[in-house]
Amino acid sequence: MSKTYNNLWAGIIEWENLYSAYLEAKRKKRYKAGVLRFGANLEENITNIQNHLIWESWRPSKWKEFMIYEPKQRLIQAPPFKDRVVHHALADAIGPLFEKKFIFDSYACRRGKGFHQAAKRVQTFLCKAYVNRKTTYVLKADISKYFHSIDHNALLMILRRTIKDKRVLNLNERIIRDAEFDECGIPLGSLTSQIYANIYLDQLDHYVKDDLGVKYFARYMDDFIIVCNDKKELWKLLSKIERFLTNNLKLTLNPKTAIFQAARGVDFCGYRIWRDHILPRKRNIRRARRHFAMLARMYSKREVSLESVRASIMSFLGYVKHCDSYITTRNILSETILRGQ
């Protein structure tokens, strides 16, 4: 039987804990209007949150919605800053409880993990599966409309297997059910949603690793990879995984889910991965070229500062330093310099 936890509420509502949550929530956002307004009456605002939590009268405010277009068009629903403080306080309390239960090869939204580590891990799998030069196959899959498909009742049932503190469960339920969805779906844009999404698919992780005995499996949020030398075995695993997702989590796989030879390269976590090298994703390079061309034109007209250009270049270098891309990087930067002159 898995371990359960009680007596969490007192730690969440402590003033010092809420203040720490405020400091975490404002990191890298300290000059935004909502953060400044909250900080102008800091003690009063934290005390107000604390009182509402104590009396269990706290309710989420209306989510802010906006659209992003890179890497694809998505609707982001973000809580206002005062609610972010509550989300951080809750996440600090329940996050470590589930972290203990996560498998090693789950890489999204976890300290010490991330997409760079996930890509390297998949490369390690490809190397290990290539023993005796055996043909290596890959199952690459992701969940269709994942965040909008998470079932509220199933998620709350999963939380109850670990959390026994009723007030903490009630707070989770208020956040989960408050969003403008019916019986399923959580907003894409909050800390708690990231935690819930990881907790939800942790059920799949343990099914694949513990019940199916899969050795080479890695997941980054709703994208996952299985590496194997037996193509027929991968088709059997895919069938079992689809049934598990449908019956236990009410999820479906994206129609683009595929099984293919590893020799063609594995597109995962922003990189194209082979056992002996890793390359940047082609569309990321095309996007970088367009972005740097635009920056160069704007810089030549003095519409952006050198600091802005430098920040974009450093971000790009941070991406490509984890793969084999010396020539591509040199060419892109050379083009940018020529355009900016």
Side-chain angles (χ1 to χ4, degrees), residues 6 26 28 52-53 78 108 124 127 136 154 159 163 192 198 228 239 251 254-255 294 302 327 339:
N6 207 338
K26 80 166 189 173
K28 299 182 181 180
H52 277 295
L53 290 173
T124 298
C127 289
T136 306
L159 292 174
I163 300 170
T192 49
N198 244 355
C228 182
S239 178
L251 299 173
N254 191 310
M294 178 192 68
R302 300 297 183 263
I327 295 175
R339 286 193 177 101

Side-chain angles (χ1 to χ4, degrees), residues 326-337:
Y326 173 78
I327 295 175
T328 301
T329 303
R330 183 191 62 189
N331 292 342
I332 290 176
L333 295 182
S334 297
E335 293 165 8
T336 303
I337 292 170

Side-chain angles (χ1 to χ4, degrees), residues 5-24:
Y5 299 86
N6 207 338
N7 303 317
L8 302 170
W9 186 246
I12 292 175
I13 64 174
E14 282 182 353
W15 203 94
E16 292 76 9
N17 183 59
L18 293 171
Y19 177 71
S20 296
Y22 155 75
L23 294 177
E24 290 179 29

